[in-house]
């Protein structure tokens, strides 16, 4: 038996790609990491910088730059090409520029013979995952995006700040588009297993005063607040994507709200949207269907409608 080193390739070594790489190395999730970027100088600098940190680890990890041939034997490709966010610019407004980059990247990735799992981050995340999936010809469960994973991190942070409960004791998901139409099924939010509704009834002066509309607005605004201060977001998505890659490489069967192709789940067909999924060595191994109230279902359907409109636009490209 031969033991194969775990290898990840990150395409797009910008703010996001470099931070995913840093998390993968510092958490010792992979054995080999390759950065690919049209800006070869920047990619090489990130690889060298990150390589220095390996000396302080107990694990020996190879970090380098390379060409698309490096994807041939990679276990995971992380797609992080794109442009830095601009204050006020919506994710959907990044559609044209990202598709243009993918028209360059995806044929090269396909030609490499890559046969692993794609974790895509580039925005607009749901549409990009669908675009890549259709063109790579890999099993549909092998290509997905981080979806509402980062939105869910923000949601848990906000709920924790408002209630004082540790984030790890809060069960909550953001679902739908990674963008302005995302929604939260508050009927499934719980604190140590006790539903939000029960908490509101038992603690009217604290939980009872929490405004779900305001919480949603804070979740949606979370990315913009960071972008307004430093013109990118990187730490949160870096670690969130790293956790997804870890769930794949270690076959963790961890439930995470990634953007997966819906084939009838939630009454939706042919659309990629953020839903709780079991992540393991085969990528999206199961889509978990939680029961939504009629109001929540209407919000989720609306979000899927927004994504579907752009998927149709993407289908008409190249
Ligand atoms: N899904 C999420 O939760 C989430 C969170 C944050 C950012 N993002 C998205 O991630 C993407 C990257 O953001 P960023 O801040 O790192 O931008 P960035 O500009 O810092 O990095 C993008 C990198 O892509 C590279 N690139 C562009 N075209 C390329 C090509 N054809 N081939 C190879 N590399 C190419 C650029 O040279 C650059 O280094 C954006 O689409 C952003 O919106 C998504």
């Amino acid at each position: 038996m031969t033991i194969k080193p775990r290898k990840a390739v990150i395409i797009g070594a910008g703010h996001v790609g470099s931070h995913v790489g840093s998390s993968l190395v510092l958490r010792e999730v992979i054995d080999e990491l390759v950065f690919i970027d049209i800006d070869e100088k920047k990619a090489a600098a990130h690889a060298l910088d990150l390589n220095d940190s390996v000396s302080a680890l107990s694990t020996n990890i190879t970090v380098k730059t390379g060409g698309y041939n490096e994807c041939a034997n990679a276990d995971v490709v992380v797609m992080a090409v794109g442009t830095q966010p601009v204050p006020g610019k919506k994710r959907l407004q990044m559609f044209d520029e990202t598709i243009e980059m993918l028209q360059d990247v995806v044929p090269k990735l396909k030609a490499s013979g890559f046969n692993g799992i794609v974790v895509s981050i580039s925005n607009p995340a749901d549409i990009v995952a669908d675009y890549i999936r259709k063109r790579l010809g890999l099993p549909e469960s092998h290509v997905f995006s981080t979806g509402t994973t980062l939105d869910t991190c923000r949601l848990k942070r906000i709920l924790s700040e408002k209630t004082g409960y540790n984030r790890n004791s809060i069960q909550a998901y953001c679902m739908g588009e990674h963008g302005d139409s995302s929604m939260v099924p508050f009927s499934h939010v719980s604190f140590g297993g006790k539903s939000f509704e029960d908490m509101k009834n038992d603690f009217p002066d604290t939980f009872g005063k929490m405004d779900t509309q305001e919480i949603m607005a804070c979740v949606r605004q979370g990315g913009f607040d960071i972008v307004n201060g430093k013109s990118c977001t990187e730490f949160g998505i870096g670690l969130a994507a790293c956790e997804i890659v870890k769930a794949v490489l270690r076959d963790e069967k961890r439930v995470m709200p990634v953007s997966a192709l819906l084939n009838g789940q939630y009454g939706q067909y042919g659309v990629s949207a953020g839903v709780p999924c079991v992540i393991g060595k085969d990528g999206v191994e199961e889509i978990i269907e939680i029961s939504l109230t009629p109001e929540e279902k209407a919000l989720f359907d609306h979000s899927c409608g927004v994504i579907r409109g752009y998927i149709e636009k993407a289908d008409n490209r190249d």
Side-chain angles (χ1 to χ4, degrees):
M1 185 180 96
T2 51
I3 295 174
K4 185 186 171 299
R6 289 165 298 188
K7 178 176 181 180
V9 175
I10 297 177
I11 306 179
H15 290 90
V16 169
S18 61
H19 279 71
V20 177
S22 168
S23 294
L24 288 171
V25 168
L26 300 187
R27 291 171 78 86
E28 305 184 5
V29 170
I30 36 98
D31 302 298
E32 188 176 353
L33 176 68
V34 183
F35 285 120
I36 298 177
D37 199 295
I38 41 165
D39 187 341
E40 293 177 9
K41 200 172 155 199
K42 179 168 70 173
H46 276 314
L48 195 56
D49 193 5
L50 202 45
N51 236 320
D52 285 346
S53 67
V54 174
S55 305
L57 295 173
S58 56
T59 308
N60 194 32
I61 298 172
T62 303
V63 186
K64 60 183 188 180
T65 57
Y68 283 85
N69 58 319
E70 291 287 351
C71 301
N73 65 347
D75 300 294
V76 175
V77 160
V78 175
M79 187 66 72
V81 298
T83 46
Q84 255 181 273
V86 175
K89 190 171 176 182
K90 309 274 185 206
R91 295 173 183 94
L92 288 171
Q93 291 171 320
M94 297 175 179
F95 174 82
D96 284 313
E97 59 208 35
T98 308
I99 295 292
E100 268 172 38
M101 291 173 192
L102 294 173
Q103 284 171 335
D104 170 46
V105 169
V106 175
K108 291 175 185 165
L109 177 57
K110 184 168 184 179
S112 75
F114 172 67
N115 192 25
I117 307 286
V118 177
V119 177
S120 184
I121 300 173
S122 308
N123 275 321
D126 308 281
I127 295 119
V128 166
D130 189 82
Y131 180 95
I132 298 172
R133 184 187 303 116
K134 283 177 176 150
R135 284 155 183 82
L136 279 187
L138 294 173
E140 56 191 40
S141 62
H142 287 194
V143 185
F144 57 95
S145 94
T146 47
T148 43
T149 303
L150 182 58
D151 316 59
T152 299
C153 292
R154 289 180 181 143
L155 172 65
K156 287 191 178 180
R157 170 178 57 76
I158 292 160
L159 290 172
S160 175
E161 284 166 359
K162 286 189 179 295
T163 64
Y165 278 73
N166 184 304
R167 304 171 198 209
N168 291 328
S169 305
I170 301 172
Q171 178 91 38
Y173 294 119
C174 245
M175 290 174 60
E177 180 204 357
H178 169 58
D180 288 347
S181 70
S182 65
M183 52 80 63
V184 175
F186 280 97
S187 64
H188 286 271
V189 171
S190 64
F191 298 80
K194 183 163 172 167
S195 74
F196 189 35
E197 207 47 46
D198 286 347
M199 287 299 229
K200 281 169 130 178
N201 289 334
D202 287 359
F203 305 104
D205 292 338
T206 50
F207 280 85
K209 290 195 172 137
M210 283 166 63
D211 178 352
T212 53
Q213 294 297 323
E214 187 212 320
I215 293 168
M216 266 317 303
C218 287
V219 170
R220 294 197 188 112
Q221 184 58 30
F224 295 110
D225 289 341
I226 302 167
V227 169
N228 286 337
K230 62 179 218 173
S231 301
C232 71
T233 70
E234 50 197 353
F235 293 111
I237 185 60
L239 192 49
C242 166
E243 287 295 302
I244 295 172
V245 173
K246 180 163 77 66
V248 170
L249 293 176
R250 299 200 180 146
D251 195 21
E252 287 179 347
K253 317 290 187 204
R254 181 169 166 190
V255 179
M256 303 170 107
V258 300
S259 184
L261 179 64
L262 300 179
N263 284 317
Q265 297 89 351
Y266 296 94
Q268 292 288 341
Y269 290 87
V271 66
S272 295
V275 287
C277 295
V278 177
I279 306 297
K281 64 179 169 25
D282 285 318
V284 174
E285 298 190 349
E286 184 188 336
I287 293 173
I288 295 185
E289 272 192 272
I290 56 174
S291 55
L292 301 178
T293 65
E295 294 77 21
E296 289 166 354
K297 176 80 169 59
L299 288 172
F300 183 74
D301 287 348
H302 167 71
S303 195
C304 288
V306 171
I307 299 167
R308 186 174 281 109
Y310 277 83
I311 284 179
E312 282 165 11
K313 254 176 97 175
D315 284 345
N316 294 327
R317 301 287 284 262
D318 68 32

